[in-house]
Amino acid sequence: MTSGRRWVQVWRGGVYLLRSLASGIATVLVLPLLCHPRFARRWADRHRDRAGRLLGTPSAPRPALRATGRRAWADPTTRRDLLWLPVNAMTGVALGLPALLCAGNVLLATIATPLWWAFRLEDRPRLFIDIPVTGWATALTLGPLQILLLAALAYLVFPPIARAHARICLGVLSHSTVEQLADRVAVLTRTRADVLDAHGAELRRIERDLHDGTQARLVAIAMRLAVARQALSDNPRDEQFVEGLLRDAHEGTEEAMTELREVIRTVYPPILADRGLDGALTAVTARCGVPTRLDIGDLGRVPAAVEAVVYFAVAEALTNVVRHSHATAAGVGVSRTADRLSVMITDNGIGGADDRRGTGLAGIRRRVLALDGTVDVDSPAGGPTTITMELLCG
């Protein structure tokens, strides 16, 4: 691990511990209010999300607590949420206080020590617990030494302590095997209903496109050919009239074929059948309005349904990049580990992507969940945006 990346982890760990300290104190102060099942659920979910982000394993969102009264109190998740309140109060304060003391002493040595002369004698800053700063020799030697020692201490202990707190959080709030199966069934039931709705809407769209577009053109072509045939039968010398009908019929045939190809492309892109997922994604990234880098490994044999989902998801995500992100560069990475296909789409845009705003992310999520996959969107305000998808392709 590079030193720069380690310092990023130190910073993230320190911020996490300080927020845990504030959260633990807040839990103690408003504990009676948080003991309501709904408030406890929201409080616990916030900590689950924070812990998951720190550990790099984002937790799937839990459904809202719909039970009321005794049923809400009897819910196993409610018992875990209520258990987390005292655990959070104890661990947040116990593990966050050292981070606060470390950060406070670094600030003291950085800011107050050079200004030692501005304080009254009894109020001057003290280094290494109880050494008063009485002159420039002490300020210029012990001040930097204290900063270095505390920075080294933070470098060593902040990341593991923060990860320990996050694991405690997820350990207390994690589901049992039975509850995980029940949640999985609920998710699959919901995604299956979404897929059936989307499938019905897609069939209606295809039927409408074929009926209003291709079929109408074919009917017009048939009528022109019938008129031309009748004209030849009635007046064989009327060549100019018949030539115009045949020309219109020919143009209508080409337009109908173009529309039919567009309909077929929305069902299963022909480029996937012709060039495979590698070639299809190469074409998509080459057509993107933002310079896009494609990194794709050896994928082996991938089911057609998975290929189609990845193709449409990448195409939709890059369309969002062009339309909404104001990015100057994007990247697509596709790799396979055993029976799991991973797709990562990144851009250096303004961030703020949200599937509730109709940016196409909801469609991507629906497609991936239909194949029992997962989607994670990391898009803070100011960017960058990272969309990570994983699908089973065994």
Side-chain angles (χ1 to χ4, degrees):
M1 181 185 297
T2 62
S3 177
R5 185 176 179 184
R6 176 67 178 188
W7 279 113
V8 170
Q9 291 187 352
V10 172
W11 172 259
R12 291 183 61 194
V15 172
Y16 178 90
L17 290 173
L18 291 176
R19 292 182 64 183
S20 297
L21 173 62
S23 171
I25 296 173
T27 300
V28 174
L29 295 177
V30 296
L31 185 60
L33 296 177
L34 294 175
C35 285
H36 190 279
R38 294 188 186 278
F39 295 151
R41 168 67 62 88
R42 295 172 186 172
W43 192 244
D45 283 344
R46 292 186 61 182
H47 289 87
R48 286 177 72 249
D49 293 342
R50 282 203 315 123
R53 288 196 299 269
L54 181 74
L55 297 176
T57 56
S59 303
R62 293 190 294 178
L65 184 63
R66 301 185 183 277
T68 58
R70 293 182 178 179
R71 293 181 60 187
W73 288 97
D75 192 310
T77 59
T78 298
R79 291 196 292 269
R80 281 194 301 274
D81 295 341
L82 294 175
L83 175 62
W84 171 243
L85 297 178
V87 173
N88 177 49
M90 291 185 292
T91 58
V93 173
L95 300 180
L97 190 57
L100 178 63
L101 294 175
C102 184
N105 282 284
V106 168
L107 289 175
L108 174 67
T110 304
I111 299 175
T113 300
L115 301 175
W116 63 271
W117 48 269
F119 294 87
R120 293 183 301 176
L121 181 61
E122 61 272 16
D123 295 331
R124 286 177 180 174
R126 295 176 176 271
L127 300 175
F128 291 101
I129 308 302
D130 200 31
I131 301 178
V133 179
T134 56
W136 283 112
T138 305
L140 296 178
T141 56
L142 294 184
L145 182 60
Q146 177 167 301
I147 293 174
L148 289 176
L149 291 177
L150 291 175
L153 180 64
Y155 187 89
L156 293 175
V157 303
F158 274 16
I161 291 178
R163 287 195 295 269
H165 184 276
R167 292 191 183 98
I168 293 173
C169 174
L170 295 182
V172 173
L173 297 175
S174 62
H175 289 190
S176 66
T177 304
V178 174
E179 291 168 341
Q180 290 176 356
L181 289 175
D183 289 345
R184 194 64 184 153
V185 169
V187 170
L188 292 177
T189 301
R190 184 175 65 255
T191 56
R192 179 178 181 274
D194 292 342
V195 169
L196 290 176
D197 292 340
H199 179 66
E202 189 70 8
L203 288 179
R204 288 190 295 272
R205 183 193 63 79
I206 294 173
E207 186 274 335
R208 185 171 58 253
D209 290 347
L210 292 176
H211 181 274
D212 298 340
T214 308
Q215 178 177 283
R217 293 187 182 278
L218 292 176
V219 170
I221 293 169
M223 293 178 63
R224 290 189 178 94
L225 292 175
V227 172
R229 180 181 180 184
Q230 185 64 35
L232 284 175
S233 300
D234 296 343
N235 188 359
R237 296 182 181 180
D238 197 357
E239 296 179 357
Q240 186 175 1
F241 176 69
V242 174
E243 182 181 354
L245 291 175
L246 293 177
R247 183 175 60 253
D248 292 342
H250 179 262
E251 293 175 354
T253 302
E254 290 187 344
E255 292 174 356
M257 291 299 296
T258 300
E259 290 184 356
L260 189 58
R261 280 193 294 269
E262 289 297 325
V263 173
I264 293 173
R265 186 174 291 111
T266 61
V267 178
Y268 185 81
I271 193 172
L272 281 176
D274 296 338
R275 299 171 57 184
L277 184 59
D278 191 340
L281 293 182
T282 300
V284 170
T285 54
R287 292 196 305 265
C288 183
V290 173
T292 303
R293 176 181 178 181
L294 174 65
D295 294 319
I296 187 166
D298 183 12
L299 305 182
R301 185 177 180 277
V302 179
V306 176
E307 285 186 340
V309 167
V310 172
Y311 174 83
F312 284 121
V314 171
E316 180 63 35
L318 292 182
T319 299
N320 291 340
V321 171
V322 174
R323 291 180 178 176
H324 307 291
S325 72
H326 303 286
T328 58
V332 177
V334 186
S335 61
R336 178 173 179 173
T337 303
D339 64 344
R340 189 168 293 274
L341 188 71
S342 299
V343 182
M344 179 177 292
I345 306 160
T346 60
D347 69 72
N348 63 350
I350 60 175
D354 190 344
D355 54 8
R356 293 171 296 182
R357 298 179 182 175
T359 57
L361 292 177
I364 294 175
R365 190 180 299 277
R366 185 170 60 246
R367 288 180 183 272
V368 175
L369 290 179
L371 297 184
D372 201 18
T374 60
V375 179
D376 179 56
V377 180
D378 183 15
S379 183
T385 296
T386 301
I387 302 174
T388 306
M389 299 175 287
E390 288 193 351
L391 298 102
L392 295 175
C393 58

